[in-house]
Amino acid sequence: MTKWVYFFGAGKAEGDSTWRDLLGGKGAGLAEMTKIGLPVPAGFTISTEACDYFYKNGKKYPAELKKQVAENVTKLEKVTKKKLGDSKSPLLVSVRSGSARSMPGMMETILNLGLNDRSVQGLSVTYDDASLFHWKCSIKAAVSPVSPLHRPKKYI
């Protein structure tokens, strides 16, 4: 089975700065910073090989990719002690694209993936004005660029 997803967090990382061709510049940098002890939030990187596979195989993802992503989300939840979509301790992630070579301004970023009405309620308990917090989150989500996403109508 081909490995498509590489984890970093809790002081350990699969990869380092020499893995740039496999993890992309951002992924290799995050792995390296984690390994040298910098306080990098935990996460995972989908390899550049997965992207290559996608384009060489009729825009189809590798069969093992979904399972590997799910396993790494579970690992991320364990390390952060948060859960994606949870109303009490929600896990929010950022999705950043990257390549082996720098391409400033060419790739999209999705911030706060996992932010929904339930997670906002959980996050808002730490704020003095919960309704203002909810409103700000909703506005940010509404004005964020969504062109890279193909969301079902119920989420638009």
Side-chain angles (χ1 to χ4, degrees), residues 92-113:
L92 301 180
V93 297
S94 297
V95 180
R96 301 183 185 274
S97 53
S99 65
R101 305 294 168 252
S102 180
M103 298 171 59
M106 295 300 293
M107 296 189 231
E108 303 289 347
T109 295
I110 302 166
L111 300 175
N112 296 326
L113 183 68

Side-chain angles (χ1 to χ4, degrees), residues 14-155:
E14 298 176 302
D16 58 36
S17 63
T18 65
W19 291 30
R20 184 180 204 85
D21 287 341
L22 179 67
L23 302 178
K26 287 182 185 115
L30 289 165
E32 182 70 23
M33 289 186 288
T34 299
K35 279 195 165 178
I36 65 171
L38 292 176
V40 176
F44 58 87
T45 301
I46 298 173
S47 73
T48 57
E49 290 176 348
C51 180
D52 191 45
Y53 179 99
F54 178 81
Y55 285 108
K56 287 181 177 175
N57 290 277
K59 296 189 176 181
K60 301 233 184 314
Y61 293 106
E64 308 94 351
L65 183 61
K66 186 175 183 178
K67 181 178 183 234
Q68 289 181 26
V69 168
E71 290 168 351
N72 279 272
V73 167
T74 299
K75 196 183 290 189
L76 185 57
E77 289 174 335
K78 213 174 276 184
V79 166
T80 62
K81 298 180 175 84
K82 296 183 179 299
K83 189 157 179 63
L84 197 61
D86 190 62
S87 63
K88 292 185 178 132
S89 186
L91 172 66
L92 301 180
V93 297
S94 297
V95 180
R96 301 183 185 274
S97 53
S99 65
R101 305 294 168 252
S102 180
M103 298 171 59
M106 295 300 293
M107 296 189 231
E108 303 289 347
T109 295
I110 302 166
L111 300 175
N112 296 326
L113 183 68
L115 193 63
N116 58 35
D117 287 339
R118 278 188 348 174
S119 62
V120 168
Q121 292 302 318
L123 290 167
S124 68
V125 298
T126 61
Y127 289 82
D128 291 335
D129 187 343
S131 62
L132 178 61
F133 176 80
H134 190 276
W135 180 80
K136 284 183 175 181
C137 288
S138 298
I139 293 298
K140 281 186 179 183
V143 298
S144 294
V146 294
S147 59
L149 300 178
H150 300 286
R151 298 190 289 188
K153 283 188 175 185
K154 70 178 189 173
Y155 295 112

